[in-house]
Amino acid sequence: MTGFVVQGHIYIPYAYCVFTYLCIIIVKQNVDIEQLSIFLQVEPTATILDIKSMFHKSSKFFNGCVILLISEGKPLRDEEILQELPVGTTATFYFRDLGAQISWGTVFLIECIGPLVIYLLFYFRLPLIYAPKYEFTASKHLVVPIACVCHSFHYMKRIVETLFVHRLSHSTMPLRNIFKNCSYHWCFAAWMAYYINHPLYTPPYYGEKQVKAALAIFLFCQLGSFSIHMALRNLKLPSCKIKKIPYPTKNPFTWIFALVSCPNYTYELGSWLGFTLMTQCVPVLFFTVVGFIQMTVWAKGKHRSYLKEFKEYPTLRSPILPFIL
């Protein structure tokens, strides 16, 4: 089969394309079309994932790399079907090499395992952390071991959720992101653990009552967070790509769905507020504030996405804080 070039685009004679196949031209972004382009014949029912697979088999330069197909300036999802896209018998897609990638699950596991281990190093007061006379000693304050259990429980819960609960919508992320994500969690864990487990640490002002109240808040929000994650998991079946609006279930912890779009972030904020109240430690407060700012950005984005996708989306809901934010 032969084609011809008109104003930088490759066209294939219509007779070759009707009825059975569509003609696809895949071109690398920001590269002359004559330098790097790939021609494919695909069935109209092919998905973008099928086209990517054919692309990798046809390209000796990008075999095995992770790519993003783009049409009219918009990235295409793997599950989109060719015949449902606004293309004719000949379509030109552009691809972008995404570079080195790593799975989201792997990133989440590394993010969580790091703080879990780092905190315990400070809790057991390993050598070179504090003065030699404090090596492998225990704190006399009850709040210190309680805080250690709460911190460890939080990250162990996240590990379990990553392995058995979450259904991640994006399979990979740029490898460079792992350094940014891990540095945030790991450094804050070290900063918090250093002061909470310090030999000169001062317990909360109101003592045992404050610790018990904060512990109740922390555990309540941790159960709430897990309940929300389970509800979201049950909402999205593995083989189903259809998005649904999350609604409250029989589980009381999910009733907050009536007021906020992202209650998982609401409960996460509540957990760290409880931990801040429990430890009365400035680094924990900083971590809570920074985390709240980031979660607010994510929640607002998710809220906008819900409003855009669903015309019947409940208008009473706020992104993260009921009636406020």
Side-chain angles (χ1 to χ4, degrees):
M1 180 182 296
T2 60
F4 52 91
V5 178
V6 178
Q7 294 182 347
H9 291 270
I10 299 179
Y11 292 89
I12 308 301
Y14 182 80
Y16 290 103
C17 301
V18 295
F19 302 122
T20 306
Y21 297 102
L22 296 181
C23 302
I24 303 299
I25 312 299
I26 301 181
V27 184
K28 183 170 173 51
Q29 274 192 324
N30 303 322
V31 173
D32 192 319
I33 194 169
E34 296 181 354
Q35 294 180 7
L36 181 56
S37 60
I38 296 173
F39 167 75
L40 300 174
Q41 275 189 320
V42 299
E43 296 181 354
T45 56
T47 64
I48 296 300
L49 184 61
D50 295 331
I51 297 175
K52 285 183 179 181
S53 178
M54 296 176 66
F55 168 86
H56 284 126
K57 293 178 181 178
S58 304
S59 173
K60 63 180 180 180
F61 299 104
F62 293 91
N63 185 26
C65 72
V66 181
I67 66 168
L68 179 69
L69 288 183
I70 302 169
S71 176
E72 299 181 352
K74 297 180 180 180
L76 300 173
R77 300 190 304 273
D78 286 349
E79 63 270 16
E80 291 188 86
I81 300 174
L82 186 59
Q83 65 183 3
E84 297 178 357
L85 297 175
V87 297
T89 54
T90 302
T92 301
F93 292 157
Y94 295 88
F95 79 89
R96 182 189 307 154
D97 182 5
L98 298 181
Q101 298 283 298
I102 186 171
S103 70
W104 282 82
T106 302
V107 173
F108 289 158
L109 288 176
I110 297 174
E111 280 182 9
C112 297
I113 292 174
L116 182 64
V117 174
I118 290 171
Y119 195 100
L120 292 176
L121 296 179
F122 287 89
Y123 176 75
F124 290 111
R125 295 178 178 173
L126 268 61
L128 304 179
I129 296 178
Y130 303 112
K133 64 178 181 179
Y134 296 115
E135 292 178 2
F136 299 108
T137 59
S139 175
K140 61 181 179 179
H141 304 298
L142 180 61
V143 65
V144 173
I146 293 178
C148 180
V149 171
C150 289
H151 188 274
S152 300
F153 175 81
H154 171 75
Y155 282 101
M156 289 176 66
K157 180 184 79 72
R158 288 188 57 178
I159 291 173
V160 171
E161 289 174 341
T162 300
L163 292 174
F164 304 108
V165 178
H166 293 317
R167 292 196 173 106
L168 304 175
S169 57
H170 300 284
S171 58
T172 63
M173 67 187 299
L175 180 61
R176 63 181 180 275
N177 283 14
I178 193 173
F179 302 104
K180 176 183 67 176
N181 292 25
C182 289
S183 61
Y184 166 75
H185 288 280
W186 293 21
C187 291
F188 262 116
W191 191 23
M192 291 188 294
Y194 176 82
Y195 284 99
I196 296 174
N197 298 288
H198 197 283
L200 301 180
Y201 168 74
T202 303
Y205 182 80
Y206 292 102
E208 187 176 326
K209 291 182 178 180
Q210 181 173 335
V211 173
K212 289 182 177 179
L215 178 61
I217 295 173
F218 178 86
L219 293 178
F220 177 86
C221 291
Q222 286 290 283
L223 288 173
S225 173
F226 182 77
S227 298
I228 296 300
H229 288 152
M230 288 300 299
L232 293 174
R233 171 186 170 83
N234 296 334
L235 188 69
K236 185 178 180 181
L237 300 177
S239 58
C240 182
K241 299 296 183 179
I242 301 176
K243 295 183 179 181
K244 301 178 181 179
I245 300 175
Y247 285 105
T249 66
K250 295 180 180 180
N251 184 343
F253 285 104
T254 66
W255 293 352
I256 193 175
F257 265 126
L259 300 176
V260 295
S261 296
C262 301
N264 51 321
Y265 295 144
T266 309
Y267 281 124
E268 183 76 3
L269 173 63
S271 296
W272 286 108
L273 285 175
F275 196 73
T276 302
L277 182 64
M278 179 193 303
T279 59
Q280 201 169 292
C281 188
V282 172
V284 181
L285 178 61
F286 268 96
F287 180 74
T288 303
V289 172
V290 174
F292 172 60
I293 294 173
Q294 180 60 75
M295 288 188 292
T296 299
V297 173
W298 291 335
K300 286 185 174 181
K302 189 67 174 178
H303 184 72
R304 286 193 298 269
S305 177
Y306 281 141
L307 292 174
K308 183 178 180 180
E309 292 181 21
F310 305 106
K311 295 182 179 179
E312 69 279 14
Y313 191 73
T315 57
L316 183 63
R317 294 187 187 182
S318 301
I320 187 170
L321 296 179
F323 310 113
I324 300 175
L325 186 63

